[in-house]
């Protein structure tokens, strides 16, 4: 798997660099500039072929690429050195001899190709389509967390699509609800709840101006304007509104002997509402946990028909905020006989119980632990405690965490359940042919705007800091994780990174293409080139800054990686 991930990362990086350098190369050729080499990868040269005047080759170091043009070097050379190297090239074909506007085109063409690549990749995803989780293309609100900004947000009814002029009076409603659709935030269209989370981080400390739609039981909709300010919720680091994406309450299976099976709920059913209110899977579970043992009226969709069903929750136990691998309710006999490993715990459980991720349960109440035994004890002993013996693995050969065994007491929290295991709804997302190009450009614009907003927040706001910067390791993890989710995720992530490179390369910093544009602008104003000595000093400072930044973001990447492997 590691080799596959490394190869995948190399391919993605190679594609991004190839298109960037291809932009420089094509523009230079079009302007009549002599191109001695077009290399993917840095020296030493591994192999290649010379066609005409240009050596097309692959370098041994897969960390970049370059176009070698006569009279243009990242490390400036004096006139004598240039004459010696390019004596065979007519002076008028040197980069430095071409008009400023042509040189500017050559410089801009590299980043421009990154933008083109990003838009093209977004277009491919939109045109080809893919099966994706419902949450990726759904802007509907699911669970609204208690005490979160969304729960107490004011809502003002809009008339003919216009925000009310006077909103100083009492609102028309309070609090967002499951089933509401978020249409816009600060004038930007919202396609899924991830967009909402991004806007919350980028606008931390500011009021978000949200437009959402609410559907009444009779099918009519009302559009509301809702000003709300994100905040950092307890135990978290980033500001949020406290909403989860809508996850259709699709029944994967029911557990034998529990209320859902007894009520006639079947695999494939979709629970539409509970007691007349729309619910998704997370909202359904939350309301069931807080319900008393009394019948609930459900509306269930089965094979296109809507059926009324009644279910009465029963009281069982739950290992609250503790998640196991394999899951305790697995149907696989081999997994039921395995020792469960803690896949995740809340910060409160970790602090109060001493249980943490990666702990393996080896004994329970003095007997060998299995997934099946843990499940039976959880279900049958609400309000009690069970004693477990855990085996904690060493991390980093014992340097980051030492191996040890511990005996812990885990409470079994009483909870009402109906016995449903949820499935994930997927949808086939593809844009109509006439909308592919507009969608591709729109997604490119969104990626560019978010890159700009992120940079502005890094500079002018405390909502993002230098600790949030990432480098090659983070890009590696993002691309490999995206690939595991499917080709469309990988293409979209590659497109986003490519558009990031477009923007960042045009920043007016030495060594970057934007820095070269600044030099050309100064040359235009002065009516003569900047001296080689000055260019050399500026480039040296720029290289030093880039190196420091590279080391810093790599440190950030390693720090985040170490933090992720330590429970």
């Amino acid at each position: 798997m590691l080799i596959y991930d490394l190869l995948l990362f190399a391919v993605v990086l190679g594609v991004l660099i190839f298109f960037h350098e291809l932009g420089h190369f094509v523009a230079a050729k079009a302007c009549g500039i002599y191109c001695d080499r077009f290399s993917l990868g840095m020296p030493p040269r591994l192999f290649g072929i010379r066609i005409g005047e240009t050596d097309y080759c692959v370098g041994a170091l897969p960390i970049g690429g370059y176009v070698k043009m006569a009279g243009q070097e990242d490390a400036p050379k004096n006139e004598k050195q240039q004459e010696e190297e390019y004596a065979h090239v007519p002076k008028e074909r040197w980069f430095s001899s071409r008009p400023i506007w042509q040189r500017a085109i050559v410089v801009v063409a590299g980043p421009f190709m990154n933008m083109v690549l990003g838009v093209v990749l977004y277009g491919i995803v939109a045109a080809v389509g893919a099966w994706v989780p419902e949450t990726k293309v759904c802007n509907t609100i699911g669970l609204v967390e208690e005490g979160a900004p969304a729960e107490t947000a004011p809502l003002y009814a809009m008339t003919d699509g216009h925000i009310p002029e006077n909103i100083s009076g009492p609102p028309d409603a309070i609090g967002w609800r499951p089933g509401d659709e978020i249409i816009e935030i600060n004038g930007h269209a919202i396609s899924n709840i991830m967009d909402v989370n991004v806007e919350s981080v980028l606008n931390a400390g500011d009021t978000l101006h949200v437009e959402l739609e609410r559907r009444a039981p009779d099918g009519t909709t009302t559009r509301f304007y809702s000003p709300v300010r994100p905040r950092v919720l307890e135990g978290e680091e980033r500001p949020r509104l406290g909403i989860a994406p809508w996850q259709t309450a699709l029944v994967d299976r029911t557990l034998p002997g529990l209320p859902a099976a007894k009520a006639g709920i079947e695999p494939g059913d979709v629970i539409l509402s509970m007691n007349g209110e729309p619910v998704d899977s997370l909202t359904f579970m939350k309301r069931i946990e807080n319900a008393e043992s009394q019948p609930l009226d459900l509306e269930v969709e089965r094979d296109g028909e809507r059926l009324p069903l009644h279910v009465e929750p029963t009281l069982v136990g739950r290992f609250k905020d503790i998640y196991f691998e394999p899951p305790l309710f697995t149907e696989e006999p081999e997994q039921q006989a395995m020792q469960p490993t803690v896949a995740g715990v809340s910060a409160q459980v970790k602090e109060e119980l001493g249980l943490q991720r990666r702990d393996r349960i080896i004994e329970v109440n003095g007997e060998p632990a299995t997934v099946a035994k843990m499940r039976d004890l959880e279900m049958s002993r609400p309000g009690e405690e069970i004693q477990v013996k855990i085996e904690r693995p060493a991390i980093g050969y014992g340097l980051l965490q030492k191996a040890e065994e511990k005996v812990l007491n885990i409470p079994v929290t009483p909870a009402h359940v109906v016995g449903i295991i949820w499935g994930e709804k997927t949808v086939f997302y593809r844009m109509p042919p006439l909308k592919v190009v507009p969608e591709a450009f729109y997604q490119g614009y969104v990626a560019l705007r978010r890159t700009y907003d992120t940079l502005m927040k890094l500079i002018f706001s405390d909502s993002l800091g230098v600790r949030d910067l990432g480098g090659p390791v983070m890009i590696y993890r993002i691309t490999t994780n995206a690939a595991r989710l499917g080709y469309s995720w990988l293409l979209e992530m590659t497109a986003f990174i490519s558009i990031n490179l477009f923007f960042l390369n045009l920043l007016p910093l030495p060594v970057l293409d934007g820095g070269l544009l600044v030099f050309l602008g100064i040359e235009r104003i002065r009516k003569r080139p900047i001296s080689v000595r000055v260019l050399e000093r500026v480039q040296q400072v720029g290289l030093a800054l880039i190196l420091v930044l590279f080391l810093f973001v790599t440190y950030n990447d390693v720090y985040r990686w170490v933090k992720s492997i330590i429970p």
Side-chain angles (χ1 to χ4, degrees):
M1 182 61 74
L2 177 61
I3 295 176
Y4 170 80
D5 287 346
L6 290 173
L7 288 174
L8 177 70
F9 177 63
V11 169
V12 170
L13 189 63
V15 168
L16 295 172
I17 294 169
F18 172 79
F19 274 86
H20 181 91
E21 297 302 327
L22 181 64
H24 290 313
F25 178 73
V26 171
K29 285 285 193 180
C31 292
I33 297 171
Y34 180 88
C35 296
D36 182 59
R37 175 172 291 177
F38 177 47
S39 175
L40 181 61
M42 302 302 286
R45 180 181 185 276
L46 285 180
F47 58 87
I49 183 173
R50 181 170 287 274
I51 302 176
E53 64 188 30
T54 305
D55 175 28
Y56 300 88
C57 67
V58 174
L61 300 178
I63 56 174
Y66 65 97
V67 177
K68 186 179 180 182
M69 293 177 272
Q72 195 279 323
E73 302 87 11
D74 290 332
K77 298 177 181 179
N78 59 41
E79 189 172 339
K80 183 179 179 181
Q81 291 171 322
Q82 289 181 335
E83 289 285 356
E84 291 176 354
E85 185 169 0
Y86 301 115
H88 62 291
V89 180
K91 195 68 178 285
E92 65 270 13
R93 295 197 63 196
W94 289 22
F95 176 85
S96 53
S97 299
R98 306 306 296 172
I100 289 178
W101 67 270
Q102 288 190 5
R103 283 181 277 163
I105 288 175
V106 173
V107 172
V108 171
F112 175 74
M113 282 300 290
N114 282 126
M115 171 59 81
V116 171
L117 174 62
V119 172
V120 168
L121 292 178
Y122 279 127
I124 291 173
V125 173
V128 176
W131 286 97
V132 297
E134 174 188 32
T135 54
K136 187 175 185 296
V137 294
C138 180
N139 60 350
T140 304
I141 298 171
L143 178 68
V144 180
E145 300 173 31
E146 295 181 6
E151 188 188 41
T152 56
L155 290 92
Y156 301 90
M158 299 174 62
T159 304
D160 297 328
H162 297 292
I163 298 174
E165 294 183 1
N166 182 12
I167 58 172
S168 58
D172 298 289
I174 294 290
W176 300 0
R177 298 177 187 171
D180 291 349
E181 291 187 22
I182 300 180
I183 309 301
E184 290 184 356
I185 293 182
N186 292 350
H188 303 302
I190 297 299
S191 59
N192 56 51
I193 300 301
M194 180 59 70
D195 289 347
V196 179
N197 294 334
V198 171
E199 294 291 339
S200 298
V201 172
L202 293 179
N203 294 278
D206 300 329
T207 297
L208 298 180
H209 302 281
V210 182
E211 293 185 20
L212 55 82
E213 283 188 351
R214 176 169 298 171
R215 184 176 298 276
D218 62 2
T220 59
T221 60
T222 303
R223 180 167 291 200
F224 290 97
Y225 163 70
S226 180
V228 59
R229 178 172 295 183
R231 71 167 185 269
V232 178
L233 303 181
E234 185 177 356
E236 300 188 12
E237 298 180 354
R238 296 278 182 263
R240 290 196 305 117
L241 296 178
I243 58 174
W246 179 273
Q247 300 181 53
T248 295
L250 174 64
V251 179
D252 180 67
R253 57 190 173 90
T254 59
L255 300 177
L258 290 181
K262 295 177 180 178
I265 296 176
E266 300 177 359
D269 286 352
V270 174
I271 299 176
L272 302 176
S273 67
M274 174 192 296
N275 292 340
E277 296 184 9
V279 290
D280 71 334
S281 57
L282 290 179
T283 309
F284 182 91
M285 289 190 295
K286 191 70 175 178
R287 292 180 181 174
I288 288 291
E289 287 179 2
N290 297 331
E292 298 179 357
S293 297
Q294 58 185 8
L296 300 172
D297 296 324
L298 306 181
E299 185 179 21
V300 175
E301 184 178 64
R302 179 183 301 164
D303 298 328
E305 296 184 6
R306 297 194 173 196
L307 307 174
L309 294 178
H310 306 279
V311 63
E312 184 174 334
T314 187
L315 187 67
V316 298
R318 274 285 178 264
F319 295 128
K320 188 176 180 181
D321 295 333
I322 304 174
Y323 309 95
F324 296 97
E325 180 60 38
L328 297 189
F329 290 95
T330 178
E331 288 187 310
E332 300 294 331
E334 292 183 0
Q335 293 184 349
Q336 292 177 4
M338 293 172 61
Q339 292 178 331
T341 298
V342 178
V345 297
S346 66
Q348 183 178 0
V349 167
K350 181 178 179 180
E351 180 180 354
E352 294 180 357
L353 304 183
L355 191 68
Q356 64 184 40
R357 184 167 55 92
R358 297 191 178 186
D359 287 349
R360 189 156 60 96
I361 313 295
I362 56 177
E363 290 184 5
V364 53
N365 287 348
E367 299 179 1
T370 65
V371 169
K373 187 169 292 184
M374 288 287 289
R375 178 190 61 204
D376 292 341
L377 289 173
E378 177 190 42
M379 294 289 289
S380 62
R381 301 196 178 182
E384 300 183 18
E385 282 189 348
I386 66 167
Q387 187 181 79
V388 298
K389 184 177 182 180
I390 61 103
E391 184 177 74
R392 183 162 294 166
I395 298 178
Y397 300 100
L399 296 176
L400 300 177
Q401 176 177 280
K402 293 182 178 180
E404 60 179 329
E405 292 185 356
K406 284 187 173 184
V407 175
L408 305 173
N409 292 320
I410 301 178
V412 183
T413 304
H416 288 90
V417 301
V418 295
I420 293 176
I421 303 296
W422 302 106
E424 181 181 58
K425 182 179 178 180
T426 58
V427 296
F428 188 76
Y429 167 77
R430 181 170 61 193
M431 297 297 294
L434 294 179
K435 292 185 178 181
V436 168
V437 173
E439 174 70 7
F441 277 97
Y442 174 72
Q443 292 300 331
Y445 158 74
V446 170
L448 185 60
R449 180 178 66 82
R450 285 183 177 168
T451 304
Y452 170 80
D453 289 344
T454 300
L455 181 63
M456 292 299 101
K457 289 297 179 181
L458 282 168
I459 298 174
F460 300 111
S461 171
D462 57 1
S463 62
L464 292 175
V466 291
R467 282 289 184 188
D468 298 298
L469 293 173
V473 178
M474 186 174 76
I475 296 175
Y476 164 80
R477 296 183 67 185
I478 288 173
T479 53
T480 52
N481 288 336
R484 291 187 178 92
L485 294 173
Y487 88 91
S488 64
W489 294 86
L490 177 61
L491 292 184
E492 287 189 353
M493 191 52 61
T494 304
F496 183 77
I497 295 171
S498 189
I499 290 173
N500 270 253
L501 291 177
F502 160 80
F503 180 85
L504 297 176
N505 261 295
L506 289 178
L507 293 177
L509 301 175
V511 182
L512 300 180
D513 293 321
L516 294 178
L517 289 176
V518 172
F519 295 151
L520 292 176
I522 294 173
E523 180 180 337
R524 175 76 175 178
I525 294 171
R526 297 174 72 241
K527 305 298 184 183
R528 64 181 185 276
I530 301 173
S531 71
V532 173
R533 183 181 297 273
V534 172
L535 284 177
E536 186 176 16
R537 294 291 183 268
V538 173
Q539 296 288 62
Q540 287 173 348
V541 172
L543 285 171
L545 291 174
I546 293 295
L547 179 60
V548 170
L549 179 62
F550 176 81
L551 293 175
F552 180 77
V553 297
T554 302
Y555 168 78
N556 278 353
D557 291 343
V558 173
Y559 173 79
R560 277 189 288 262
W561 174 73
V562 171
K563 189 176 179 181
S564 70
I565 65 174
I566 298 178

